Amino acid sequence: MSSASSTADEYRRFRRQRLLHRLGRWRKLWQIFYRSKFGKAGFWILVVFAVITLLSPILTFHNPNTFFAPEEDTTIASQELSTQLPYSVNANGTPLAPAGTSVVVAGSYVLYTTTANGSVSAVALGGSASTPVGKVFPLLSENFPKDAHTFAATSIPLASYAIFSTKFVFQYSEFLLLGSTWGGTTHLVLSEINWTGQDNTPGAGAPKAVNTASVTISGTLVTAPTSDSTGGISLPPWGPFYESAAYTDYGFKPGYVYAVTESGGQYRMTAFYTQPFQPIWNVTLPYSTVPSAPVFVGSYYPPPSDLTATQVIIAQNQSLFSYAPATGKQLWESNFSAPIDTALAPVVPFAYEIGPSSADAAFVALTGPSPSVAYALLTNGQTAAVTPLPAPVVGIGTEEGSGGYPAYIAISTATTTYVLDERGEIASPQNAVGRPVGFGLFGYSPIYDADANLFILTSSTGNSIAVSANLGPDAIQWRAYESPAATAASSPLFFLNTESGKTAVAVTTNTGRLDAFATAGTDENPIGPTFNAPSGNFYIFGTNTYGNDVWSQWIQSFVWDWEIGLAVTGGVILIAVLVAMFIGYISSWVATAVETVTLVLFLIPGLALLIVIASILGASFWNIVLVLTIVGWPYFAFTLIGVVRQVKARTFVEASKASGARTMQILRRHMLPNMTPLLAYFTALSVGAAATILSTLQFLGVAPLTISTWGGMLEPMFGNYYLLVRAPFWVWPPTIALTMFVFAFVFVSRGLDEVVNPRIRAR
């Protein structure tokens, strides 16, 4: 027992000494490697890369492939107009809204601005040579007294009956309607806009006001005067005629103007012909509370509906009243359960102005302890569909309603805008959008753009956002903020800009600016680095052209480039070692055939072979690993074959054969150890080479993987080198990472050279 125990102890001591010897040898080799400047640099670069790879789940803020930056972060409103007006548009502390309408298909050539003293000017949009952007054309100068309360001029299209009666063509002209009040009287001005160019063509020459008419009535004007003509982006036929003779002689719909005045606590609505500009009837409203502005229904009804179905509606107290446009006769009265907010005129979708339908309705906001929105049918005033809201309503906007009940109804409170579903209900929290940070309070009715299916929401300070009509996640499409910031802004104007051919919204501000933004936003991808994106996201390296987060892709590329590099290296080294041992040690016709095949693969141009095989196999992780492995192993195999043949000729190998050692034993004990220094060197080179070749394939678009790699990040640069200048924040991170990754392994291989080659070490 003592002899056996002693033998076991000696064996354990031997194993321990052998382990210590090996550790000492490895320590010495490490010291040699670490003394190499190249080896040390490569080692620490790889340590940094390894740490980033391990921390990648924490450092990746978005899914690199499925995350796309919200449109509110990457889309901006194209500014159509930004001009500092040479005069103030403020009246009683509030900017007067701009005006404009499209009397021609091309759109508006100018916008109209109003001052408190009754001056109206046209501001050019740049749609023609004579209307350069921002040029101001004075039109009206009424010189109202200082105590006058002036309302913003409105632009109304009216058809020429003289032209229609001779040529049977609807030719619209643009008219300005201006209202002001002082000293207990109301003053209205109506003026036609002509152009000094040939044939009075809009946009030719300069705009000028002609055929100006005015009328004065007793009473204080309480709302802006309105008309039976509804301006818009495009004008259907059968709009109101300018001349009243169209009605008195032939029964066609004439142009009407409506004004609401107050005198002695009573409110009256007065109707006027537009030509001659004179009152034709008035009605006393039943309540002593301030009414809403009148709204005409049926601006483009064709005969005979233009006279039998048209109506003018007005809200007061808890009621909505309908009157016959020609006589002022009350048609119906609709009563609601709560007072109507008369600061908001009843809302009638635009399609209801073109042709009557039994489903047509007017929408109103109700006040009181439980704010809500309700509507009344325009055929008989029947009320329906009361939608409760958590806060008072500041604006209502609808889709055009061409299919009957509007597909989208947007309702704004001061802080939130809701979109109702087809049942008139707020279906879910996703049917609401809150005001962005720094936006200000919602102050006006949403504007619907049918082409883009957007609602434009404007704050009381002039900032605007566009939201998708169906809302849902990432509802905000773009933002436009006033610069310099304003403290008050007018209600927005929706118009078609002749200069750009785009629909746009315009506001005036208390700082004297007139700004307009296209409703269709412009994609700004790639955007630069930001830590304060409008959505609350942050993009350390910005986004690429698709809206992906460059930082997240960059971090995930550490993982995948490591994995592909190591997988390819493992396959290449394994195949190279096996083939080299087989060809170099075993002499047979099979070995010769394998060597010939290896030589053929070695001589084929590598890039061409890569592209062909990658195209055949398709792009996937393992296919790319297989492709790179197939192309990479011949070079290493030929180098190792020489080592095997050298070692095979050595005396100790012959001695092993003579002693009866088997082939596998010789390969394991003699061949493999002599390959080890080269294998370490090849491993270091192969990982970096695999990442480089993969990047080349992805840059050329041959290997469109669904994983993030540095080469894949650079692929959009191929054929679009302008991105190198425009988006350096996108280009440089993967370029630097790939370069450092490759250099790290080159440095490591140089350090390993000094370990296995004393002659290099001595230098």
Side-chain angles (χ1 to χ4, degrees):
M1 289 292 294
S2 60
S3 176
S5 175
S6 175
T7 302
D9 291 340
E10 288 179 3
Y11 181 69
R12 281 194 294 271
R13 282 196 298 273
F14 169 75
R15 291 185 62 185
R16 186 164 52 252
Q17 289 173 354
R18 184 175 65 178
L19 178 61
L20 292 173
H21 173 74
R22 288 179 176 176
L23 290 174
R25 184 169 177 270
W26 281 109
R27 186 181 299 111
K28 183 178 179 181
L29 293 175
W30 167 253
Q31 290 171 349
I32 295 171
F33 173 82
Y34 200 69
R35 279 199 297 269
S36 166
K37 294 179 181 179
F38 292 103
K40 183 186 295 185
F43 170 76
W44 284 112
I45 292 173
L46 291 181
V47 167
V48 172
F49 275 57
V51 170
I52 293 175
T53 302
L54 294 173
L55 295 177
S56 61
I58 300 173
L59 298 176
T60 303
F61 305 123
H62 307 106
N63 186 298
N65 298 309
T66 61
F67 171 82
F68 298 94
E71 288 188 272
E72 62 175 313
D73 292 344
T74 62
T75 306
I76 65 168
S78 173
Q79 192 152 38
E80 301 286 283
L81 176 68
S82 179
T83 186
Q84 183 69 44
L85 299 172
Y87 44 80
S88 172
V89 293
N90 297 324
N92 302 309
T94 302
L96 297 175
T101 192
S102 303
V103 295
V104 292
V105 175
S108 298
Y109 287 91
V110 295
L111 298 181
Y112 303 101
T113 59
T114 311
T115 65
N117 67 354
S119 295
V120 180
S121 301
V123 181
L125 294 170
S128 65
S130 62
T131 56
V133 176
K135 184 175 181 178
V136 176
F137 299 92
L139 297 176
L140 295 175
S141 181
E142 295 300 310
N143 295 316
F144 295 150
K146 291 184 178 180
D147 61 343
H149 181 98
T150 302
F151 295 87
T154 56
S155 172
I156 57 176
L158 295 171
S160 169
Y161 181 69
I163 294 176
F164 176 78
S165 61
T166 56
K167 300 180 179 180
F168 300 101
V169 173
F170 272 90
Q171 180 172 315
Y172 289 100
S173 294
E174 195 167 16
F175 290 79
L176 289 179
L177 175 61
L178 176 66
S180 186
T181 185
W182 67 87
T185 58
T186 290
H187 304 268
L188 304 179
V189 178
L190 183 67
S191 185
E192 183 179 0
I193 301 300
N194 278 356
W195 290 79
T196 59
Q198 185 176 8
D199 298 327
N200 189 30
T201 302
K208 63 177 181 178
V210 298
N211 300 325
T212 301
S214 62
V215 63
T216 300
I217 60 174
S218 62
T220 300
L221 187 65
V222 295
T223 66
T226 60
S227 167
D228 62 345
S229 178
T230 304
I233 299 302
S234 61
L235 302 179
W238 294 111
F241 289 105
Y242 170 56
E243 302 94 331
S244 61
Y247 171 68
T248 57
D249 294 349
Y250 294 97
F252 291 124
K253 179 171 63 253
Y256 291 115
V257 168
Y258 302 98
V260 177
T261 58
E262 181 272 334
S263 180
Q266 284 189 328
Y267 293 90
R268 302 178 69 84
M269 179 170 64
T270 303
F272 305 79
Y273 282 138
T274 53
Q275 199 281 323
F277 194 29
Q278 62 186 29
I280 52 175
W281 57 257
N282 65 73
V283 295
T284 301
L285 300 177
Y287 300 107
S288 59
T289 55
V290 179
S292 71
V295 174
F296 188 85
V297 179
S299 294
Y300 302 99
Y301 283 7
S305 299
D306 59 340
L307 296 180
T308 59
T310 54
Q311 55 189 305
V312 58
I313 59 175
I314 188 170
Q316 188 184 38
N317 200 14
Q318 295 185 203
S319 300
L320 185 64
F321 301 96
S322 171
Y323 296 93
T327 63
K329 177 184 177 181
Q330 183 174 318
L331 302 178
W332 50 259
E333 177 182 350
S334 181
N335 295 299
F336 295 89
S337 59
I340 299 174
D341 184 355
T342 55
L344 296 175
V347 175
V348 177
F350 183 75
Y352 299 176
E353 301 284 358
I354 300 174
S357 166
S358 59
D360 293 351
F363 297 84
V364 295
L366 304 183
T367 61
S370 302
S372 59
V373 169
Y375 73 82
L377 295 177
L378 292 173
T379 52
N380 54 20
Q382 181 181 347
T383 61
V386 176
T387 304
L389 291 154
V393 176
V394 299
I396 303 172
T398 74
E399 179 259 348
E400 292 183 346
S402 55
Y405 189 85
Y408 305 106
I409 301 175
I411 303 170
S412 292
T413 66
T415 59
T416 308
T417 294
Y418 304 89
V419 174
L420 307 187
D421 61 17
E422 64 278 2
R423 298 168 299 174
E425 298 177 357
I426 302 171
S428 69
Q430 285 193 341
N431 284 53
V433 59
R435 61 192 177 101
V437 175
F439 181 77
L441 299 176
F442 292 129
Y444 301 106
S445 292
I447 293 174
Y448 179 73
D449 181 0
D451 291 337
N453 196 32
L454 297 173
F455 279 109
I456 313 301
L457 312 179
T458 305
S459 74
S460 56
T461 55
N463 301 323
S464 296
I465 58 174
V467 299
S468 172
N470 50 16
L471 293 186
D474 303 327
I476 298 178
Q477 305 293 296
W478 54 256
R479 305 180 184 205
Y481 281 55
E482 283 293 326
S483 180
T487 57
S490 70
S491 58
L493 167 72
F494 185 52
F495 70 99
L496 176 62
N497 187 356
T498 53
E499 195 277 330
S500 64
K502 298 178 181 179
T503 54
V505 289
V507 297
T508 55
T509 68
N510 66 327
T511 59
R513 296 197 64 81
L514 173 61
D515 292 324
F517 296 91
T519 56
T522 302
D523 185 2
E524 287 295 294
N525 280 312
I527 62 171
T530 177
F531 291 88
N532 188 30
S535 67
N537 290 318
F538 55 91
Y539 310 101
I540 298 176
F541 289 160
T543 65
N544 60 19
T545 51
Y546 309 111
N548 301 118
D549 179 14
V550 173
W551 167 267
S552 296
Q553 287 192 334
W554 186 68
I555 292 295
Q556 280 297 303
S557 296
F558 282 83
V559 178
W560 290 110
D561 277 276
W562 265 110
E563 290 188 4
I564 289 177
L566 293 175
V568 170
T569 298
V572 165
I573 295 299
L574 178 62
I575 295 174
V577 168
L578 294 176
V579 170
M581 286 184 174
F582 181 73
I583 295 174
Y585 187 78
I586 298 174
S587 299
S588 68
W589 68 269
V590 177
T592 302
V594 173
E595 184 175 9
T596 302
V597 172
T598 304
L599 180 61
V600 170
L601 291 174
F602 180 72
L603 293 177
I604 295 176
L607 182 59
L609 184 61
L610 278 168
I611 293 174
V612 170
I613 298 177
S615 300
I616 294 173
L617 294 180
S620 71
F621 176 82
W622 288 111
N623 282 351
I624 293 300
V625 170
L626 179 60
V627 169
L628 297 180
T629 301
I630 291 173
V631 175
W633 67 267
Y635 170 78
F636 297 128
F638 271 111
T639 306
L640 293 175
I641 288 171
V643 174
V644 172
R645 285 173 173 168
Q646 277 187 333
V647 175
K648 179 182 177 181
R650 302 286 290 274
T651 305
F652 61 83
V653 174
E654 294 296 331
S656 296
K657 290 180 181 179
S659 64
R662 293 187 300 273
T663 298
M664 291 303 298
Q665 191 175 8
I666 293 173
L667 293 175
R668 181 173 60 83
R669 289 189 174 183
H670 299 300
M671 300 300 173
L672 192 57
N674 280 279
M675 290 187 200
T676 301
L678 273 178
L679 292 179
Y681 180 77
F682 287 162
T683 298
L685 287 179
S686 181
V687 176
T692 303
I693 296 172
L694 174 64
S695 296
T696 301
L697 291 176
Q698 290 205 282
F699 183 74
L700 296 175
V702 179
L705 296 178
T706 56
I707 58 175
S708 296
T709 65
W710 294 313
M713 292 178 65
L714 295 172
E715 188 271 333
M717 306 292 166
F718 187 65
N720 188 8
Y721 301 112
Y722 171 66
L723 290 173
L724 293 169
V725 178
R726 183 186 173 192
F729 48 83
W730 169 16
V731 179
W732 286 113
T735 302
I736 293 173
L738 180 60
T739 302
M740 296 304 296
F741 191 69
V742 173
F743 269 105
F745 283 103
V746 172
F747 291 162
V748 167
S749 66
R750 179 62 185 271
L752 292 174
D753 258 353
E754 297 191 18
V755 171
V756 300
N757 194 335
R759 287 177 296 179
I760 295 178
R761 194 188 318 160
R763 282 186 270 163

